[in-house]
């Protein structure tokens, strides 16, 4: 069996397909440039077959892609064949969760907005465990613990001072009591502690903020080395969705910007959470 393609290899394939289609070229044209069978071009664009950085540049030149910084970033992604810590958990947690782990690891910055849950990277072990226990169909205890362990490992990225993390959290998520009052209090204290780190920004959307764009679902926006390589990750009941089209990215940038405008500032948000904590 061929190795499971990494999220980065899939993204390289997606970007090569975008370049080719923007240039009005066919898979047959690409196969002629590379000197390979057309089916191999399809496999490359699907992320099921690796491609060297040199060949990425060759195709980009053929497609007359003029954004050198973008091409260099895609080529760098193609050349990275290293295996991350998440590969050790393949088969223990769903593949989509591992793709999120990989996306977070390589992102240059992360922005998330959450309505009913505290952001995953900010959850305590107890909160994460209680949330996973609410999954339907119910997970077996071993599966719950495997997901909790994976989430704890993912959260280590918050300690990287060179990686920015911004969370826009609705008041409803702060008032939810997964696991009871004790777990909820510990969760709020943990969030306040995290916000003491200079690379972490937390903004609260109050109930009185009213309706707003994006209220219906949770989103993580991962910044790539260049804006064209940003990614939007959407939660879903099945596996997570990853959006990479330029228009989709622009839409979510707009939504996140509008949320920032309605949310409390970082200092006011800390005070707001402290107020909720006093009431519990």
């Amino acid at each position: 069996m061929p190795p499971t393609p990494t999220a980065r290899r899939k993204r390289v394939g997606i970007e090569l397909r975008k370049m080719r289609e923007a240039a009005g070229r066919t898979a047959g044209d690409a196969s002629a440039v590379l000197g390979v069978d057309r089916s191999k071009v399809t496999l490359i664009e699907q992320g099921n077959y690796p491609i060297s950085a040199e060949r990425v540049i060759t195709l980009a030149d053929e497609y007359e892609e003029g954004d050198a910084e973008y091409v260099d970033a895609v080529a760098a992604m193609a050349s990275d064949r290293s295996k991350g810590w998440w590969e050790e958990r393949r088969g223990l947690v769903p593949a989509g969760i591992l793709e999120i782990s990989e996306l977070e690891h390589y992102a240059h910055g992360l922005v998330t907005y959450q309505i009913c849950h505290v952001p995953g990277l900010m959850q305590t072990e107890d909160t994460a465990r209680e949330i996973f226990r609410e999954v339907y169909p119910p997970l077996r205890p071993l599966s719950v613990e495997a997901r909790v362990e994976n989430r704890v490992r993912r959260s280590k990225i918050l300690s990287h001072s060179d990686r920015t993390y911004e969370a826009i959290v609705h008041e409803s998520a702060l008032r939810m009591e997964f696991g009871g009052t004790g777990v909820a209090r510990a969760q709020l204290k943990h969030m306040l502690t995290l916000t003491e780190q200079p690379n972490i920004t937390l903004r609260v959307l109050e109930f009185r903020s009213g309706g707003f764009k994006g209220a219906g679902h949770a989103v993580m926006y991962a910044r790539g080395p260049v804006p064209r390589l940003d990614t939007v990750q959407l939660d879903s009941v099945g596996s997570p969705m990853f959006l990479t089209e330029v228009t989709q990215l622009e839409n979510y940038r707009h939504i996140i910007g509008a949320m920032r405008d309605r949310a409390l500032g970082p200092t006011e948000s800390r005070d707001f959470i402290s107020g909720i904590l006093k009431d519990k």
Side-chain angles (χ1 to χ4, degrees), residues 171 174-177 180-182 184-186 188-189 192 206-207 270-280:
E171 182 178 345
L174 302 173
R175 295 192 181 276
M176 294 288 280
E177 293 197 355
T181 302
R185 283 181 55 83
L188 294 176
K189 289 180 179 179
L192 287 173
E206 300 173 276
F207 283 129
R270 281 180 53 83
D271 293 342
F272 190 85
I273 294 173
S274 296
I276 295 176
L277 191 53
K278 289 178 182 177
D279 294 338
K280 289 190 179 291

Side-chain angles (χ1 to χ4, degrees), residues 73-108:
V74 176
M77 291 172 67
S79 65
D80 185 357
R81 307 290 174 86
S82 60
K83 290 188 176 181
W85 61 264
W86 50 88
E87 291 297 337
E88 299 172 3
R89 289 166 170 75
R90 195 166 294 281
L92 299 176
V93 296
I97 291 179
L98 299 184
E99 288 200 37
I100 294 173
S101 303
E102 183 178 350
L103 177 65
E104 292 169 338
H105 177 82
Y106 285 107
H108 288 223

